[in-house]
Amino acid sequence: MTAAPTGFAAELVPLLDRAYGLAYSLTHDRADAEDLVQEAALLALKAFGQFTPGTNFKAWFYRILVNAFYGQLRKQRRQGETVDLENIPSLYLYGKTTALGLQGQTDDPAGALLSRLDAESIVAALEALPQEYRVACSLYFIQDFSYEEIAQTLDVPLGTVRSRIHRGRKLLQQRLWAIAEERGIVKQLKPQASA
Amino acid sequence: MKLPTHWRWPWSPHPFDCAAALARLDDYLDRRLTPKEKRLVEEHLAVCTACTSKYRFETTFVAELRRKLTRIDVPPRLADRVQEALRRAQAS
């Protein structure tokens, strides 16, 4: 039996929980997320000789995970959906909660809305994003990666990351508002007219 | 009298108007502003309740989303399963 590569497990195991969070936000399926993490771990083991010690193992491993996810999508021949980003205004949720009258009702309208949405709803909203936005936003929100780390992980320029996060956040806000409307949350939040 | 959107008092000590402050919102959220830019944004926010409310909303939005998404339940035996798969791969 070959000995484990020095440091590989020690580097990998602490990342597994967060890696699962990322995989789940990409696949939105618990079994698929577990399989994706395992596949990425095996691919990373195979490629560990190419990893430069002292560089960012986390970004390196997540790049493998994201590429494995893209590979699965290619096999399933799933095409990224096209979305119209131009018609979504900036500060979408802010505008919606202001129009609802929530800004005058509470000091924390964002908290008031998001406290009523569970993690599953947020993952569902993330899943509805086109792939490239979903991946960048998952790294940004789940891993708390900086733009530089996301650029390093996805091997894209910093400007591309900035644009994907900006647009992804707009789209995410639009989806979350739609979910809140579907579930009657917007209705619950609507300030009651005083008698 | 309606003032143009980008108008500001000519003697204003704050070179940032609302448009300039909002253009830096993404970088503010990602903690990418230079100390000077951060100071200028904060000076603007100190005198502009409309921008303060937008900045506070977006900051809370990002923080709440992160808080919720890091609470995704991880399968209890995930680490064991992965380590077992790695052992098998090394043995073969």
Side-chain angles (χ1 to χ4, degrees):
Chain A
M1 186 182 195
T2 320
T6 312
F8 180 74
E11 296 263 25
L12 178 74
V13 172
L15 298 182
L16 289 176
D17 285 5
R18 285 288 183 99
Y20 177 82
L22 173 63
Y24 182 63
S25 77
L26 298 175
T27 61
H28 201 195
D29 180 281
R30 297 202 172 273
D32 287 350
E34 255 189 271
D35 290 347
L36 181 58
V37 171
Q38 182 172 315
E39 184 188 346
L42 290 169
L43 290 168
L45 174 70
K46 212 183 273 182
F48 192 57
Q50 295 158 31
F51 173 71
T52 311
T55 58
N56 190 339
F57 181 84
K58 192 162 69 165
W60 179 79
F61 176 65
Y62 287 144
R63 184 193 290 198
I64 291 172
L65 191 148
V66 168
N67 285 338
F69 169 68
Y70 283 144
Q72 288 182 359
L73 287 181
R74 275 194 295 274
K75 277 185 206 158
Q76 295 163 7
R77 295 171 191 273
R78 275 172 61 179
Q79 300 296 317
E81 58 180 303
T82 51
V83 288
D84 182 6
L85 288 159
E86 301 309 317
N87 291 329
I88 305 174
S90 292
L91 301 163
Y92 183 85
L93 270 185
Y94 179 84
K96 287 290 185 185
T97 53
T98 302
L100 192 68
L102 207 55
Q103 296 288 345
Q105 168 115 334
T106 167
D107 285 344
D108 183 12
L113 174 66
L114 288 171
S115 66
R116 288 169 167 82
L117 289 165
D118 58 10
E120 290 291 325
S121 311
I122 297 169
V123 170
L126 264 174
E127 197 206 8
L129 301 184
Q131 283 166 36
E132 61 204 28
Y133 300 114
R134 192 189 336 167
V135 172
C137 285
S138 296
L139 290 167
Y140 182 72
F141 287 114
I142 298 177
Q143 308 298 334
D144 199 3
F145 268 19
S146 67
Y147 288 179
E148 279 87 359
E149 285 177 304
I150 298 172
Q152 205 182 341
T153 303
L154 302 181
D155 200 18
V156 295
L158 205 63
T160 306
V161 172
R162 187 191 297 268
S163 147
R164 285 182 191 175
I165 299 293
H166 178 75
R167 291 172 163 195
R169 199 165 59 226
K170 273 168 57 169
L171 277 171
L172 200 52
Q173 290 197 351
Q174 189 192 42
R175 305 280 189 203
L176 286 171
W177 184 256
I179 290 172
E181 276 185 323
E182 279 164 27
R183 300 193 179 173
I185 294 169
V186 170
K187 214 172 174 183
Q188 291 167 20
L189 285 170
K190 198 168 187 174
Q192 300 300 311
S194 50
Chain B
M1 181 181 76
K2 194 171 177 193
L3 298 171
T5 317
H6 299 294
W7 187 89
R8 64 173 182 264
W9 294 102
W11 57 86
S12 167
H14 302 294
F16 270 26
D17 57 12
C18 295
L22 291 177
R24 283 158 179 84
L25 177 58
D26 282 2
D27 284 343
Y28 180 86
L29 292 174
D30 200 45
R31 306 173 292 271
R32 290 179 50 82
L33 293 181
T34 63
K36 187 185 172 191
E37 280 182 315
K38 187 166 180 275
R39 183 176 54 78
L40 289 170
V41 166
E42 285 169 352
E43 281 175 3
H44 176 79
L45 296 182
V47 295
C48 180
T49 50
C51 284
T52 299
S53 142
K54 289 168 187 164
Y55 262 69
R56 192 182 294 151
F57 187 96
E58 293 299 314
T59 306
T60 309
F61 174 76
V62 170
E64 277 292 300
L65 234 60
R66 284 191 173 137
R67 197 176 61 80
K68 298 236 169 186
L69 287 171
T70 48
R71 284 185 178 178
I72 292 170
D73 292 334
V74 177
R77 292 181 45 79
L78 177 71
D80 291 344
R81 181 187 159 183
V82 170
Q83 290 189 88
E84 180 54 33
L86 294 175
R87 271 192 291 274
R88 276 201 309 270
Q90 290 171 277
S92 62

